Amino acid sequence: MQSLGDAFSMLGALDHDVMAIAWLSLRVSLSAVLLGSLVAIPLGALLAIVTFPGRPLVVAVVNAFMGLPPVLVGLIVYLLLSRSGPLGALGLLFSPGAMIVAQTVLAIPLLAALTRQIVEDAHRELDEQLRSLRLDVWQRIRVLVFHLRFSLVVAVLAAFGRAISEVGAVLVVGGNIDGYTRTMTTAISLETQKGDLPLAIALGILLIAIVLVVNGTASAMRAYTMRLYP
Amino acid sequence: MQSLGDAFSMLGALDHDVMAIAWLSLRVSLSAVLLGSLVAIPLGALLAIVTFPGRPLVVAVVNAFMGLPPVLVGLIVYLLLSRSGPLGALGLLFSPGAMIVAQTVLAIPLLAALTRQIVEDAHRELDEQLRSLRLDVWQRIRVLVFHLRFSLVVAVLAAFGRAISEVGAVLVVGGNIDGYTRTMTTAISLETQKGDLPLAIALGILLIAIVLVVNGTASAMRAYTMRLYP
Amino acid sequence: SSITVASTTSTEQSGLFGHLLPRFTGRTGIEVRVVALGTGQALDVGRRGDADVVFVHDRAAEEKFVAEGHGVNRVEVMYNDFVIAGPKSDPAKAAGSDILQALQRIAATEQPFISRGDRSGTHAAELRYWQAAGIDIADAGGDWYREIGQGMGPALNMASASNAYVLSDRGTWLSFKNRGELAILVEGDRRLFNQYGVMLVNPEKHPDVQATEGQAFIDWLVSDEGQQAIGDYRIDGQQLFFPNAGATQISQ
Amino acid sequence: MTAGLQIVLRGLCFRPNGRTVLAGLDATITSPGITAIIGPNGAGKSVTLRMIDGLLQPDSGTVRFGPRPPESIRRSFVFQRPGLIRASVARNIALALLPLRLPRAEAERRVATALARVGLADRADDSAQKLSGGEQQRLALARVWVTDPELLLLDEPTASLDPGATEAIECLVHSMAKAGTKIVLVSHNIGQVARLARDVLVLCQGRVVEHGATGQILTMPRTPEARAFLKAEMPWQCFAAAS
Amino acid sequence: MTAGLQIVLRGLCFRPNGRTVLAGLDATITSPGITAIIGPNGAGKSVTLRMIDGLLQPDSGTVRFGPRPPESIRRSFVFQRPGLIRASVARNIALALLPLRLPRAEAERRVATALARVGLADRADDSAQKLSGGEQQRLALARVWVTDPELLLLDEPTASLDPGATEAIECLVHSMAKAGTKIVLVSHNIGQVARLARDVLVLCQGRVVEHGATGQILTMPRTPEARAFLKAEMPWQCFAAAS
Ligand SMILES: Nc1ncnc2c1ncn2[C@@H]1O[C@H](COP(=O)(O)OP(=O)(O)OP(=O)(O)O)[C@@H](O)[C@H]1O
Ligand SMILES: Nc1ncnc2c1ncn2[C@@H]1O[C@H](COP(=O)(O)OP(=O)(O)OP(=O)(O)O)[C@@H](O)[C@H]1O
Ligand SMILES: [Mg+2]
Ligand SMILES: [Mg+2]
């Protein structure tokens, strides 16, 4: 593709706008993953260590929710945040806040399901030890999450990947408003619809570059702290 | 929402079409995950057990590719399969085959990154044992994947969730052609654009129900075979 | 202060809002946030009170919207026109200025035709033209007629990738970059005119609606300054939209 | 107070997947000090200790502590394979103090004391998972001592310790027992059992085949199983017969 | 042929994260039969075995096998903690046969023989991870024997075995050594070392402090470290000094 070069120079020219859009994408998805982690990691760990009659069913449901279609999540969040919906008074619809809410909902099942598996695997070895130390459930969760801090990074990164790459939910609840809720993915979609495929691909590559920087940073931090406890 | 009931009865009336769409979604995503697993699980396991100078970088790149935007993947596959593209001769564009290709590309990084982490965690315990038995790399991979067969199910389910819920890639390469490449997610998108939110949500709930059945089946099979090796 | 306008993808993608809004905001200080959606979805957003102003192009649906009390005071702002784009080689020999004849030829030769199939204003117009041409599209059979259920851009993308005919609004066509072998084959038929209307979401139903600011936007659009700005917008020297506020209704 | 701690096991059965591991095990442990459990591999010693601790529920039968409710007894367990988290040695020991919610300084003081006691003081900040086999077992011992238990369950605590460490640990266990801690010790080291235990249970195939004073059991076992085990003959016959 | 297997360790150093584990370890093992390595916890015995096997690369120094290239020597290793996969006992043993690419029937025959040898024949289809501590160690022993190694490295192979199993394993190890397998045995059981080993290396703080015939070392050690270790005194002094 000869015009990809042009597209990149176009990106360069648009730099102010493009940077703002990239920064919004990053801000929204990082917030969603942070919020999601606070909820889903303890929850996933809890599900890994408790036993109760319906447990396999709950596990299957959490796993299944990894397949929540972003558009559906978008629609449901939309109906909740709509002025005529139950949370309409918050005035969040078509704002970055709404996008954070929608992406948090998408991130939670992925984080919870992956955390559950990773904790469950380690728990098989540590269960009796931790119970014999008379740790209560929350203490055991804290210890297991700490024990697995390096492994859980991958769950967080998977959730971040899902959040920053999805377009269905942010489009519905954010509205792709120029200069306000336009993210990298909605911009890519828009350029694709305009038939400007080189620009769309250039934006896509920029997005992947941003994701690479985030992942590279996470990897480096992980490697640095892991050094001590191989 | 009072009209959701209507929407479901509409689904019931449309049952033939809706069933065909649901079956296409399922067929495409299961094929993509199967193909993706054949490539990505051995690859992820390989990455978990080998050491080489650029390894942390490769890990970061694989992790980052979990955040490949579906639309970008769609566009690239589109350009490859387009009549004027390098693989145009296959005539795959705007066909279910093209959708399988695009979803496979999306599934691979997620499968590989999660497999890498899960294998890496188990490998720490088993590495010396397996090397001392003089197993070669591929034998070690086979043994580790077998050892972790119950844990890797979650990676496969995550990839399935990603594939069946995404809309950006199938839309671009499949084209949402009625009766041919219309999937559940593109149908949901369409109904949303038409402003028929109840029908869109009903379709979304049907999709989630299908995903639940798949996950429930996987869970039950896993639980049944795991019983012997707790 | 800021208002939210629900509009169509074609208007947004043509770049018209990028041209108009800075002028409006410069004059009034009101910031406008445009949510570009399918016409059906745009009206639905208005119906729920999530936008202050709706700016779309499907007269029948707009009038229903007002009649049901969701909107007040529909005013006509501008029109543009539809064109049929198709492969330069024109295997159906559809080129000309008669839309009905063109469709009949496409159907007769069963050349591939891409329909948006998304119940948008453009899709509604297309269905009207088929009906007027005496072709029952539901019965057409064969796989030459493809409903893709997507917006204008994707329909053009697919037509360009598969050398098919497609009905497009001129604005989207002019700003569309991936034309491939496509060219305009049919244009100029008065029946192809496409009227845009704007209306305020009913503040009595939805107290959160910014009625004053929304009305200011509508007033500006139909003011001389707004109409002038619409008429000034061009791509490659071609005018995309023709202001006609206050003019008598354009026959369809 | 703890001198009177009773452990009463009644009809303990455990049959995972249809295999009989415990086949109605009965025992009443009333003596203070150290009670040893010996028996061949797979006899059910570790399973029995787990049931005393409450980590494992029997399929039938009961574990009682005389009149006292099980929750009221501060128990600690040293496993055959200590469970270690991916953290420093000190942090692994501090785990045991979490339930006490001590002030940080007090917790650190206790950890340091325990580490010194097992000769790991200079390893406090090293990765626990990189300790040698014997060092890990010392860590596990330090971990239970910080909590000052009333009942201590030891599953082969000196199996991978060097002779010096074994002797030191035996000293420590002995002094804890003298200070009033009830100790149940599983060991394959008959010499160790002779040195430490006041009474001995001999387990074979999920049953107590003999229970009595150490001297008597080790020198003149009454049952043929106990005799065979102590002459180091039984297990292979046992397994040969089973196969 | 194997009677002449030489193991020559020259200046082995290992300093992970700045800690000195091996401090220039030198040893030449030429005797046939069983060589024991003894020493306090953390002396570097397991690390040395790993280096002989090639699982760990020294930071400096070399491991040689006389004139023979290391790849040509069939080695097997029994770890302090056996690595088990989530599968049946039989399948865990079959792992060791994968590199030989035997026909299935032959592999199954060998697995069955090995299981019978360690008294686990009736456990072939049980989950390996649910075996008792001692049973897991038997499994690990069965696993190395199926491959008929030329050099066998044993890291405390009987630490959690009952006295009968210990005796049986000792017999088996002894007969393998007589049949020509070179065996390097790490053990804290001085009695076992006396019964089995022809020569003994005493390790302390990453160095060989003494190397000689078993009888001589165990009864009249020449160096103060070896003397202290054998009197079961050293380690605690060692650690106390270090702390
Ligand atoms: N959850 C379980 N499922 C199946 N079998 C089990 C389970 N737990 C224990 N067993 C079996 O029960 C038997 C007794 O196990 P236990 O660990 O109590 O033996 P032990 O007397 O401690 O032996 P050792 O001296 O080898 O440690 C073993 O054969 C073991 O395989
Ligand atoms: N990879 C590593 N990183 C850091 N320290 C290590 C590593 N491997 C071993 N060590 C340290 O080296 C020392 C020697 O370990 P090794 O396992 O060889 O001891 P050992 O002689 O086998 O002791 P034991 O009798 O307790 O098994 C230990 O203190 C251990 O903590
Ligand atoms: Mg045991
Ligand atoms: Mg060791």
Side-chain angles (χ1 to χ4, degrees), chain D residues 45-47 80 155-156 186 188, chain E residues 132-134:
Chain D
K45 304 180 295 297
S46 298
V47 166
Q80 273 181 288
D155 202 351
E156 308 185 30
V186 169
H188 288 302
Chain E
S132 78

Side-chain angles (χ1 to χ4, degrees), chain C residues 3-241:
Chain C
I3 57 169
T4 302
V5 175
S7 185
T8 62
T9 36
S10 51
T11 334
E12 161 88 355
Q13 283 170 26
S14 68
L16 176 66
F17 284 121
H19 174 74
L20 295 183
L21 298 183
R23 287 155 216 267
F24 171 68
T25 306
R27 169 150 304 259
T28 62
I30 299 170
E31 198 191 319
V32 181
R33 293 176 176 163
V34 177
V35 182
L37 306 159
T39 297
Q41 197 182 354
L43 289 168
D44 190 73
V45 164
R47 213 170 280 132
R48 292 174 197 279
D50 292 321
D52 305 300
V53 172
V54 180
F55 189 170
V56 292
H57 61 114
D58 183 349
R59 236 186 82 214
E62 290 163 35
E63 281 168 354
K64 182 162 169 268
F65 183 79
V66 174
E68 286 170 354
H70 297 299
V72 288
N73 188 28
R74 171 180 184 271
V75 295
E76 301 194 330
V77 177
M78 63 189 192
Y79 68 90
N80 69 348
D81 65 337
F82 292 121
V83 299
I84 296 257
K88 284 178 186 137
S89 58
D90 192 18
K93 307 257 170 299
S97 62
D98 187 333
I99 172 68
L100 304 185
Q101 193 187 18
L103 291 181
Q104 282 157 354
R105 289 195 177 151
I106 291 167
T109 53
E110 302 208 335
Q111 285 301 315
F113 185 93
I114 305 295
S115 166
R116 283 178 59 174
D118 62 353
R119 230 184 282 163
S120 57
T122 309
H123 183 220
E126 182 210 310
L127 294 177
R128 277 199 305 276
Y129 298 140
W130 286 113
Q131 202 182 12
I135 293 160
D136 183 358
I137 220 60
D139 229 31
D143 67 352
W144 63 273
Y145 184 79
R146 291 179 198 150
E147 281 195 30
I148 65 160
Q150 296 185 69
M152 198 65 254
L156 285 168
N157 271 325
M158 187 176 297
S160 139
S162 52
N163 271 338
Y165 292 86
V166 62
L167 180 78
S168 171
D169 64 281
R170 189 183 293 275
T172 307
W173 168 261
L174 284 175
S175 57
F176 184 72
K177 301 241 170 54
N178 183 32
R179 293 181 194 167
E181 290 299 301
L182 298 187
I184 291 184
L185 297 175
V186 182
E187 63 184 328
D189 192 326
R190 278 190 67 77
R191 285 170 295 205
L192 286 171
F193 285 177
N194 174 31
Q195 182 65 46
Y196 283 81
V198 63
M199 64 223 88
L200 184 69
V201 175
N202 192 346
E204 279 167 28
K205 275 209 162 168
H206 302 288
D208 290 325
V209 166
Q210 318 246 38
T212 324
E213 292 86 350
Q215 192 58 49
F217 181 57
I218 294 173
D219 290 345
W220 183 82
L221 280 176
V222 301
S223 72
D224 288 344
E225 184 188 346
Q227 293 278 299
Q228 177 77 37
I230 291 170
D232 286 347
Y233 182 55
R234 271 153 226 269
I235 293 179
D236 298 336
Q238 291 205 53
Q239 183 171 351
L240 274 73
F241 296 95

Side-chain angles (χ1 to χ4, degrees), chain E residues 32-92:
Chain E
I34 302 173
T35 299
I37 303 182
I38 62 176
N41 292 137
K45 304 181 293 299
S46 299
V47 165
T48 305
L49 275 197
R50 282 195 179 87
M51 287 187 178
I52 296 176
D53 192 59
L55 292 171
L56 196 63
Q57 295 303 317
D59 292 330
S60 63
T62 57
V63 176
R64 293 263 162 71
F65 299 91
R68 298 180 54 193
E71 313 82 62
S72 71
I73 294 160
R74 285 196 318 284
R75 281 159 290 183
S76 281
F77 201 125
V78 176
F79 293 89
Q80 271 183 292
R81 273 189 174 204
L84 299 176
I85 66 165
R86 210 161 168 187
S88 66
V89 171
R91 198 141 187 168
N92 265 283

